[in-house]
C-alpha cells in the first residue's frame, strides 16, 4: 500500500504563515502528480495546488501569489510541501495531501490520500 502522512497544520493568526508537509511511503514504484486539497465544513473538497514530477505547478486562483508548492523526489518516495502566506480566516479547513502513484504490489496506478491536517486561521 501507499501511505501519505501530513504534518504542519495548526492555529495561525490572519496574515500569518504556515507550512504543510507530506511524506509518501509504502509499496511505491513511482509517484506522478501530487497536490494539496482542502475541505471546509459544509463545503466540497477542492484543489489548492498541485505539482507534477517535472515540477510544473498549478494553483487555485484564490491562492496564487501567496501559496508555494514544492516537492523533493527520491527513490520510491517523495516529499511534498506547501508554504502558505498571508492566510485568511476563510481558509480554515482540513488540508489533504494527494498523490497519483503506482503501487508495485498491485502494479496499478491509484489515487491516494493522507488523513488530513487541520489548519485554523483565527485571531
Amino acid at each position: 500500500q501507499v501511505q501519505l502522512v501530513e504534518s504542519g497544520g495548526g492555529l495561525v493568526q490572519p496574515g500569518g504563515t504556515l507550512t504543510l508537509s507530506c511524506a509518501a511511503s509504502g509499496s511505491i514504484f513511482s509517484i506522478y502528480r501530487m497536490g494539496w486539497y482542502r475541505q471546509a465544513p459544509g463545503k466540497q473538497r477542492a484543489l489548492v495546488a498541485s505539482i507534477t514530477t517535472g515540477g510544473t505547478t498549478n494553483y487555485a486562483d484564490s491562492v496564487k501569489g501567496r501559496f508555494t508548492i514544492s516537492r523533493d523526489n527520491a527513490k520510491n518516495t517523495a516529499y511534498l510541501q506547501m508554504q502558505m502566506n498571508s492566510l485568511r480566516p476563510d481558509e480554515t479547513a482540513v488540508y489533504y495531501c494527494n498523490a497519483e502513484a503506482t503501487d508495485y504490489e498491485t502494479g496499478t496506478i491509484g489515487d491516494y490520500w493522507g488523513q488530513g491536517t487541520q489548519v485554523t486561521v483565527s485571531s
Side-chain angles (χ1 to χ4, degrees):
Q1 276 194 330
V2 175
Q3 292 94 33
L4 302 175
V5 178
E6 302 106 332
S7 60
L11 174 65
V12 63
Q13 291 188 341
T17 295
L18 210 57
T19 299
L20 303 181
S21 299
C22 173
S25 63
S27 53
I28 300 168
F29 177 75
S30 189
I31 298 179
Y32 311 105
R33 188 190 62 84
M34 299 184 77
W36 290 98
Y37 288 71
R38 64 189 177 192
Q39 186 168 20
K43 294 188 176 181
Q44 288 190 330
R45 191 174 298 187
L47 176 69
V48 178
S50 65
I51 184 167
T52 66
T53 305
T56 299
T57 57
N58 179 49
Y59 295 93
D61 287 343
S62 63
V63 306
K64 286 180 180 176
R66 298 185 298 118
F67 289 15
T68 302
I69 190 170
S70 61
R71 67 185 279 177
D72 289 321
N73 299 312
K75 184 176 173 61
N76 304 123
T77 189
Y79 300 91
L80 184 70
Q81 284 198 323
M82 184 167 68
Q83 181 173 325
M84 305 183 293
N85 298 327
S86 303
L87 282 161
R88 307 183 308 221
D90 63 354
E91 293 178 311
T92 294
V94 178
Y95 284 69
Y96 295 91
C97 177
N98 170 259
E100 295 173 346
T102 299
D103 184 333
Y104 64 69
E105 290 184 344
T106 63
T108 59
I109 298 174
D111 197 32
Y112 299 92
W113 294 90
Q115 80 285 356
T117 186
Q118 177 70 47
V119 172
T120 302
V121 185
S122 175
S123 55

